[in-house]
Amino acid sequence: MTLLSIEGLGISFGGLKAVNDVSFTVKPGEIVSVIGPNGAGKTTLFNMISGVYRPGMGKVVLNGEDVTAMSPHLLARRGMCRTFQNLQVFQSMTVLENTIAGYHLQESGHVLSDLLNLPASRRRAKAAEAGARELLKRVGLERAAEREAGSLSYGSLKRLEIARAMALKPKVLLLDEPAAGCNAVETEEIDHLIAEIAASGVAILLVEHDMKMVMRISNHIVVLDHGEKIAEGDPASVSRNPAVIAAYLGAENAAG
Amino acid sequence: MRLTPKSVTLLALVVLIALSPIFFPSGFYYRIGALIFVNALAVTGIVILTGWAGQISLGHAGFAGIGAYACALAPVHWGIHPALAVVLGAAISAVLAWLVGRPILRLKGYYLAVASLGMGILISMVLNNERELTRGPDGIDVAELGLRGVLKDAGLDLSNGQFWYFFCGIVLILGAWLALNLRDSATGRALRALHGSEVAAKTVGMDVARLKLQAFVISAVYASVAGSLLALQNKFITPDVAGFMHSVEMVTMAVLGGVGSVAGAIFGAAVLTLLPQVLTVFAEYEQLVLGAVMVLVMIFLREGVVPSILRKIRGRGE
Ligand SMILES: Nc1ncnc2c1ncn2[C@@H]1O[C@H](COP(=O)(O)OP(=O)(O)OP(=O)(O)O)[C@@H](O)[C@H]1O
Ligand SMILES: [Mg+2]
């Protein structure tokens, strides 16, 4: 039943243990949130799971296969996709092209067919474009389709990244702060969108600072602090957990 | 037919090539036109490699050298028809690009610039030093393509200048058509994507190393065919075709016109081919001019002339 299993994952940068011995599992259709104060190691954890960083220790198991440190493009073939906290959009391409890029695995054929614009290439490109327009509608960006991505607002780009990731029809979707920079209305839309994606059977791993949103939509929450997993459980139990409260209060005291 | 940017570019190109001769004061201009088309073809390859895939080659003239010397040597030594020699040169260039690019393009960074620079210098050295085969720096004669004779027998009598003008023009249209097809295909989109964000390209399943390699091989074929056409129309070639300055010239033409745009590449090739012909002083200071063009474009028109103008027009339209 487990789709993604994180087993004792860890990495150090110089002397700093950014993530240390973190384990948890994600099932299909489940929303698992990873929370923790700034610098807790959430993005680093995502980077290891998605093959951007090579873990110093531990394993990532996807669908029973050990995929530790596998290149992201091979993980994509196996059904894993992600979005980025620090936006990674194709700036000089249009919003539509950015989304079509998410169809790459379904769309790409032989390069010679592409050079000659053979009917097979045209047909695949058409199908990808139709799918992309549908997705843009779902994230509310259909009217920006022909605009250059670089000209969009931060919140719109966040949704563009989600649309691009959805294009892959992933089995596991990692979302790193999808609602950052979005207003209350947009946040609620993203909230619904994530719930919808999960309801279709996709396993979702979410990093988000908006605690109301996290408590509302998560099935399970993993709490990191200084790279260590300090708690996990359902939203209610985690929000009552003294160690979690201390970590957040500690962070606030340090900041204030 | 819908007027996409692709069909506009192709249409403009066809009209320009077909109608320009009306304004030619003398037959000499056919020759300049053919030179422009040959350079534009090579630069179109640079657009694919540099403008889209974001990779830099400083040795592309090496592939032009291979294409040129394939036409000079293969007909003499192996009795191959010059037209087939063009294909042979392109095949050798493609294989060489694959061999050089494969280990290099797996690495992150601008290693291709360095590796291709070395490759270009090596090819140029071989062409200069293997006198037995290439006759060295003095250059070598190239066989007649023979197509003009065939056309004449068929009732189409063109002067040598006219023939090469229209022949190179047609090859350029073909090259531009292929490149524009590629641009909006899955492969072209992936090239432009990995240029924008390599990590995002990977997360959507793009095999970044393989895509870059494809771009390098394709652009090598463009340069090779351009080199072949140059050799065939001049019926003579020297190792300068593979020299470092020729590589720099290609990149400068692309940068001037707009390295991301096929129309820009053709414009850049036209300007920098015409300048030394029209103002002979430029011929003497070619290196200086190329350097100055690079610097000025980088300061004032980062995207190159054609995209900058298009942006202005569009900006006003909105
Ligand atoms: N490539 C890197 N090299 C060195 N240190 C790094 C690197 N990436 C992350 N770190 C460090 O690892 C720690 C965890 O960072 P990370 O970005 O994972 O935190 P986070 O939980 O995502 O924080 P935030 O909520 O601010 O996004 C930080 O101390 C950070 O400085
Ligand atoms: Mg983070």
Side-chain angles (χ1 to χ4, degrees), chain A residues 39 41-44 85 176-177 207 209:
Chain A
K42 306 178 294 290
T43 297
T44 306
Q85 177 180 0
D176 198 348
E177 303 201 11
V207 168
H209 278 295

Short mmCIF file of all heavy atoms in Angstrom, two decimals, chain A residues 39 41-44 85 176-177 207 209, ligand 2:
data_model
loop_
_atom_site.label_atom_id
_atom_site.label_comp_id
_atom_site.label_asym_id
_atom_site.label_seq_id
_atom_site.Cartn_x
_atom_site.Cartn_y
_atom_site.Cartn_z
N GLY A 39 14.72 26.91 7.82
CA GLY A 39 16.02 26.26 7.93
C GLY A 39 15.97 24.88 8.55
O GLY A 39 17.00 24.28 8.85
N GLY A 41 15.17 22.13 7.23
CA GLY A 41 15.66 21.10 6.32
C GLY A 41 14.61 20.54 5.39
O GLY A 41 14.82 19.51 4.75
N LYS A 42 13.46 21.23 5.29
CA LYS A 42 12.35 20.71 4.48
C LYS A 42 12.70 20.66 2.99
O LYS A 42 12.51 19.64 2.32
CB LYS A 42 11.10 21.59 4.70
CG LYS A 42 10.72 21.76 6.17
CD LYS A 42 9.53 22.67 6.35
CE LYS A 42 9.77 24.11 5.97
NZ LYS A 42 10.67 24.86 6.87
N THR A 43 13.20 21.77 2.49
CA THR A 43 13.55 21.81 1.07
C THR A 43 14.70 20.85 0.76
O THR A 43 14.71 20.17 -0.27
CB THR A 43 13.94 23.25 0.65
OG1 THR A 43 12.80 24.08 0.85
CG2 THR A 43 14.36 23.32 -0.80
N THR A 44 15.65 20.78 1.68
CA THR A 44 16.76 19.84 1.50
C THR A 44 16.24 18.41 1.42
O THR A 44 16.70 17.62 0.58
CB THR A 44 17.75 19.98 2.66
OG1 THR A 44 18.13 21.36 2.76
CG2 THR A 44 18.98 19.13 2.44
N GLN A 85 10.34 25.73 -4.29
CA GLN A 85 10.09 26.89 -3.42
C GLN A 85 10.60 28.16 -4.11
O GLN A 85 9.87 29.14 -4.22
CB GLN A 85 10.81 26.69 -2.08
CG GLN A 85 10.67 27.87 -1.14
CD GLN A 85 11.39 27.61 0.17
OE1 GLN A 85 11.99 26.57 0.40
NE2 GLN A 85 11.32 28.59 1.06
N ASP A 176 6.59 22.27 -2.84
CA ASP A 176 7.35 23.04 -1.86
C ASP A 176 6.78 24.46 -1.77
O ASP A 176 7.03 25.29 -2.62
CB ASP A 176 8.83 23.07 -2.25
CG ASP A 176 9.73 23.48 -1.09
OD1 ASP A 176 9.20 23.95 -0.06
OD2 ASP A 176 10.96 23.31 -1.20
N GLU A 177 6.02 24.70 -0.73
CA GLU A 177 5.37 26.00 -0.48
C GLU A 177 4.56 26.50 -1.68
O GLU A 177 4.83 27.59 -2.21
CB GLU A 177 6.42 27.03 -0.06
CG GLU A 177 7.19 26.55 1.17
CD GLU A 177 7.86 27.69 1.94
OE1 GLU A 177 7.57 28.87 1.65
OE2 GLU A 177 8.65 27.39 2.84
N VAL A 207 5.14 20.86 1.55
CA VAL A 207 5.78 21.75 2.51
C VAL A 207 5.02 23.06 2.44
O VAL A 207 4.82 23.60 1.35
CB VAL A 207 7.27 22.00 2.16
CG1 VAL A 207 7.82 23.15 2.98
CG2 VAL A 207 8.09 20.75 2.41
N HIS A 209 4.02 26.80 4.85
CA HIS A 209 4.10 27.56 6.11
C HIS A 209 2.73 27.99 6.61
O HIS A 209 2.57 28.34 7.78
CB HIS A 209 5.01 28.78 5.93
CG HIS A 209 6.46 28.46 6.07
ND1 HIS A 209 7.01 28.02 7.25
CD2 HIS A 209 7.47 28.48 5.17
CE1 HIS A 209 8.30 27.80 7.08
NE2 HIS A 209 8.61 28.06 5.81
MG MG C 2 12.43 25.50 2.06
#
